[in-house]
Amino acid sequence: MKFYLAPMEGITGYIYRNAYHRYFRPMDKYFTPFLSPGQAGELRDRDVKEILPENNPGLCLVPQLLTNRAEAFLGAARLLAQYGYREVNLNLGCPSGTVAAKKKGAGFLGFPEELDQFLEAVCRGMEELGMELSIKTRLGRREPEEFSALLEIYKKYPIKELIIHPRVQKDFYKNTPNLEAFALGMGKSACPVCYNGDITSAGSLQAVSARFPELDRVMIGRGVLADPFLLERVEAAGKAVCRGDGADSAALPDSKEQRERLRRFHDALFGEYRRVMSGDRNVLFKMKELWSYLILCFQDDGKYLKKIGKARTAGEYEAAVAAVFGDLEMRAGGL
Ligand SMILES: Cc1cc2nc3c(=O)[nH]c(=O)nc-3n(C[C@H](O)[C@H](O)[C@H](O)COP(=O)(O)O)c2cc1C
């Protein structure tokens, strides 16, 4: 199984990716959170920082673009080629209301004819550039039944890989992933398919793998944010199954080592954000967003997370984090 880290705007930027890659089981592929190119494909400075090779050493990284204009996509792809990228991912999954209202992300799925024309122009241009296109898609705008027609469109083009998050735009992150619709994608797609959605434990991955034995790649987002040991857990469970002695966690570090490694990861992340970002306010905002996931590593009844949320200065924040690491038991067995 190949593992990809899901792109998550505001969270899985290069600083997070590097820290994750260094402290935990590396991912096979990483994706940038969506970059929004200008009309001719120009990228903002902060987007260029995301993709600079020196900011992503040793990572297999695929830049992701959010646009519905072929010229913008190809202009940005040309720029990305100059930095050495050979694959670009198209975001057809973002459910945000403002994005969808502009016919972008999952909103673009509601306009199949325009999407078809866009893909035709993009694929022609990408071939000229010697680059490959991959797509991250939802099932449609409103109903999963839209997916079949979308698959017919995708089939017409030389797409490198189709990552399917089996929800529709109007689900946002509610409801459960629609595995029936995902099965349709697996069956109909002309290119390799990657599963994405709600994998939070070795058990939930095993359930998807059992249903789709031919599946050989998955993308994970929130599950890894909440439990950065997830891939190690999956591997340990796999080894235990091979030995036939059940899914114990023999190959996993014990809770003391997990706590220490998580602490080092946290400190590296916090230190790096403070080094590159202006103002602790922004740094704290980022760290608090991450803690809304990471707190699940610990047995907190809500009090400790609240204290982190209330921190107004780096000092208050560090004290709240020290209390988490000092006082709380870890959920060493995962989520
Ligand atoms: C805060 C947040 C930001 C996200 N940003 C992006 C993004 O920039 N590009 C994208 O394709 N998907 C984005 N997603 C969707 C995730 O990549 C992923 O498809 C989704 O979280 C489902 O996978 P999971 O259940 O493993 O988290 C975002 C999701 C969240 C919650």
Side-chain angles (χ1 to χ4, degrees):
M1 186 67 78
K2 289 199 197 84
F3 293 98
Y4 301 168
L5 182 68
M8 296 181 81
E9 227 279 296
I11 306 177
T12 63
Y14 73 92
I15 293 176
Y16 179 92
R17 295 193 299 271
N18 287 323
Y20 173 87
H21 193 76
R22 174 162 175 209
Y23 288 98
F24 300 103
R25 158 46 166 100
M27 294 280 172
D28 297 295
K29 237 190 223 187
Y30 297 84
F31 291 74
T32 67
F34 66 76
L35 316 175
S36 288
Q39 297 218 349
E42 61 279 15
L43 293 177
R44 292 172 299 186
D45 288 351
R46 66 165 230 219
D47 287 347
V48 171
K49 274 195 197 133
E50 262 307 304
I51 55 96
L52 277 181
E54 58 264 39
N55 285 344
N56 297 280
L59 273 67
C60 174
L61 179 68
V62 178
Q64 184 189 68
L65 298 179
L66 178 80
T67 179
N68 57 13
R69 300 173 69 103
E71 321 82 76
F73 190 99
L74 292 170
R78 201 167 294 119
L79 205 66
L80 291 166
Q82 288 166 15
Y83 288 102
Y85 293 96
R86 285 286 158 266
E87 175 184 345
V88 182
N89 184 264
L90 171 66
N91 179 323
L92 292 176
C94 181
S96 137
T98 41
V99 167
K102 290 186 205 148
K103 276 196 215 172
K104 293 181 190 171
F108 205 1
L109 300 175
F111 301 87
E113 279 175 27
E114 284 173 54
L115 177 61
D116 194 357
Q117 284 161 15
F118 168 90
L119 289 176
E120 187 175 346
V122 163
C123 289
R124 203 177 326 115
M126 290 292 273
E127 196 183 341
E128 282 163 22
L129 290 169
M131 296 181 83
E132 292 186 291
L133 172 73
S134 62
I135 290 181
K136 180 163 180 279
T137 188
R138 287 198 177 220
L139 303 175
R141 179 98 199 243
R142 293 188 180 81
E143 307 299 334
E145 288 70 31
E146 294 164 38
F147 197 41
S148 182
L150 292 168
L151 285 167
E152 290 302 326
I153 295 175
Y154 297 153
K155 248 168 112 167
K156 291 164 52 181
Y157 301 103
I159 295 165
K160 182 177 183 198
E161 170 170 88
L162 183 64
I163 301 157
I164 303 175
H165 177 56
R167 285 187 167 95
V168 292
Q169 184 252 331
K170 76 172 178 26
D171 286 334
F172 287 84
Y173 295 100
K174 294 189 303 277
N175 305 324
T176 47
N178 182 333
L179 295 187
E180 289 297 316
F182 182 76
L184 188 74
M186 281 293 276
K188 268 197 172 185
S189 172
C191 67
V193 167
C194 173
Y195 175 85
N196 167 240
D198 295 26
I199 292 177
T200 55
S201 62
S204 53
L205 175 64
Q206 269 160 10
V208 174
S209 296
R211 170 104 189 244
F212 303 103
E214 66 282 34
L215 184 72
D216 67 352
R217 57 199 80 189
V218 292
M219 171 181 271
I220 310 180
R222 293 165 300 172
V224 165
L225 297 187
D227 177 14
F229 295 95
L230 181 57
L231 266 52
E232 286 159 78
R233 238 177 262 298
V234 164
E235 286 178 344
K239 277 180 203 140
V241 168
C242 290
R243 289 197 308 267
D245 56 359
D248 70 20
S249 52
L252 264 180
D254 61 23
S255 73
K256 180 169 177 281
E257 199 195 320
Q258 285 188 31
R259 183 188 302 269
E260 285 170 4
R261 180 134 54 95
L262 200 58
R263 177 85 225 212
R264 289 201 300 277
F265 163 71
H266 169 276
D267 292 353
L269 200 56
F270 183 50
E272 198 54 16
Y273 280 141
R274 288 190 91 187
R275 196 178 69 77
V276 303
M277 289 173 70
S278 59
D280 281 345
R281 247 176 83 95
N282 295 332
V283 174
L284 293 194
F285 183 81
K286 266 203 175 323
M287 294 307 296
K288 288 175 188 180
E289 188 171 11
L290 181 63
W291 271 108
S292 69
Y293 298 96
L294 209 53
I295 196 68
L296 293 172
C297 288
F298 297 91
Q299 295 182 10
D300 178 28
D301 57 7
K303 284 201 202 93
Y304 284 76
L305 181 63
K306 201 162 166 192
K307 211 165 157 208
I308 290 177
K310 280 192 170 166
R312 294 283 161 263
T313 62
E316 284 171 18
Y317 171 79
E318 281 175 316
V321 169
V324 168
F325 280 100
D327 300 352
L328 295 179
E329 289 294 321
M330 289 198 77
R331 281 181 223 275
L335 298 178

